[in-house]
Amino acid sequence: MAAQVLNTIGKIGVGLAIGASVVNTALYNVDGGSRAVIFDRFTGVKPNVVGEGTHFLIPLVQRAIIYDIRSRPRNVPVITGSKGIVGDECLSDDLQNVQITLRVLFRPIPKELPHIYATLGEDYDERVLPSITNEVLKAVVAQFDAGELITQREIVSQRVSEELTERATQFGLILDDISLTHLTFGKEFTAAVELKQVAQQEAERARFLVEKAEQHKKASIISAEGDSQAAGLLAKAFEAGEALVELRRLEAAEDIALQLSRSRNVVYLPANQSTLISLPQM
């Protein structure tokens, strides 16, 4: 009798354990910032997207695929060629190899997750982002020469952003931010740019020296013209009369007297000294 009871209890325990295991495998959680897609072995990918929370599925028949729908960063390096240029102002008439690193913030469109899983799988970003980034960057960069890529970087970035956003939408992706974080050229082009900058600085310095010499020349001419005009005015004053000479003599005598009166060793003006005061009157 006791053996039968123990056997019954054992069967009940095994049944409960199996039931608990089945219930556990029938439950799955979708965390915040995530969505789930259900794959059914008989009907395929379900069209509905499962939101956050705890949900049921049929064990061994259905499987939940969890997707993170929050924005994630990704850096995509690309090596491409700029537009060939011909002219006196260019550094080279050949295509320049450009190494560009593009940083994007991407996330999937929640309602497109069933289609993304059915066509791209769980690693959709590895399949999509490198290919469309290479395609768009090469198409856009080929429209600019090396100099324009440097001087018109904002225009290049804006055009890349517009075209890449449009391409990503076709695959069910949203790009929240796109930026060019790295832009370098080949060693030959970089050396040519440095040489051109040095030449421009030397030219600016030479032009400054020329302008400085011109200013000195103009100042000397103006000074000489002023001295000539002053001499002419004095000559006219001497020709007009001797009143100016008498005035200058009195002013000089007054100044000499003032200086002598302040001296400690002279307390009077000697009458026998030859000063401007003792000059004969006109």
Side-chain angles (χ1 to χ4, degrees):
M1 187 68 179
Q4 292 180 354
V5 172
L6 291 175
N7 189 21
T8 303
I9 294 175
K11 290 180 180 181
I12 294 174
V14 171
L16 291 175
I18 295 174
S21 176
V22 171
V23 171
N24 187 38
T25 56
L27 296 176
Y28 67 97
N29 293 323
V30 179
D31 297 330
S34 300
R35 295 293 185 272
V37 174
I38 302 300
F39 173 76
D40 192 292
R41 294 182 182 275
F42 300 106
T43 61
V45 181
K46 298 290 186 181
N48 298 328
V49 177
V50 182
E52 302 168 0
T54 301
H55 306 276
F56 292 93
L57 54 74
I58 303 175
L60 304 178
V61 176
Q62 294 179 338
R63 180 168 62 93
I65 300 92
I66 308 298
Y67 280 94
D68 187 355
I69 62 170
R70 294 170 294 187
S71 293
R72 290 181 292 163
R74 183 182 178 91
N75 293 328
V76 183
V78 178
I79 298 178
T80 182
S82 64
K83 180 179 69 175
I85 49 178
V86 178
D88 296 335
E89 297 297 329
C90 64
L91 296 172
S92 173
D93 57 0
D94 298 326
L95 293 175
Q96 298 294 334
N97 288 328
V98 186
Q99 183 177 357
I100 301 176
T101 300
L102 194 67
R103 184 179 185 274
V104 297
L105 285 177
F106 70 96
R107 56 188 172 92
I109 301 175
K111 66 179 181 179
E112 297 292 334
L113 287 176
H115 178 71
I116 291 175
Y117 177 73
T119 57
L120 300 173
E122 299 182 49
D123 57 343
Y124 63 92
D125 55 325
E126 294 287 345
R127 298 173 181 267
V128 174
L129 291 178
S131 60
I132 64 174
T133 301
N134 273 275
E135 175 189 351
V136 171
L137 275 179
K138 289 182 178 180
V140 172
V141 171
Q143 302 175 16
F144 298 86
D145 58 49
E148 292 172 344
L149 290 175
I150 298 175
T151 59
Q152 302 180 20
R153 183 165 178 169
E154 293 183 359
I155 298 177
V156 176
S157 179
Q158 181 180 1
R159 190 169 300 179
V160 169
S161 178
E162 293 174 354
E163 297 189 12
L164 191 58
T165 299
E166 182 179 356
R167 289 287 288 126
T169 305
Q170 299 174 3
F171 294 93
L173 301 181
I174 297 175
L175 302 183
D176 294 321
D177 182 68
I178 302 172
S179 58
L180 297 175
T181 59
H182 189 68
L183 178 63
T184 57
F185 298 89
K187 294 182 180 179
E188 296 79 5
F189 180 79
T190 304
V193 170
E194 293 177 354
L195 291 176
K196 184 176 180 180
Q197 290 178 345
V198 171
Q200 289 177 346
Q201 292 175 357
E202 291 294 334
E204 291 292 334
R205 183 172 180 274
R207 185 171 64 180
F208 170 75
L209 294 176
V210 171
E211 292 178 354
K212 184 178 180 181
E214 289 291 336
Q215 294 298 328
H216 280 297
K217 180 180 178 181
K218 291 180 181 179
S220 299
I221 293 174
I222 293 173
S223 178
E225 291 177 351
D227 293 342
S228 176
Q229 291 179 1
L233 292 175
L234 288 175
K236 289 181 181 180
F238 289 145
E239 292 175 359
E242 298 179 351
L244 180 61
V245 177
E246 180 66 18
L247 177 61
R248 294 291 185 265
R249 187 187 70 81
L250 293 176
E251 290 177 352
E254 182 180 1
D255 184 65
I256 293 173
L258 180 61
Q259 296 296 330
L260 291 175
S261 64
R262 292 178 178 177
S263 177
R264 296 181 179 180
N265 298 326
V266 177
V267 295
Y268 65 92
L269 298 178
N272 58 351
Q273 294 293 326
S274 176
T275 63
L276 291 179
I277 295 178
S278 61
L279 293 176
Q281 300 292 327
M282 296 292 181

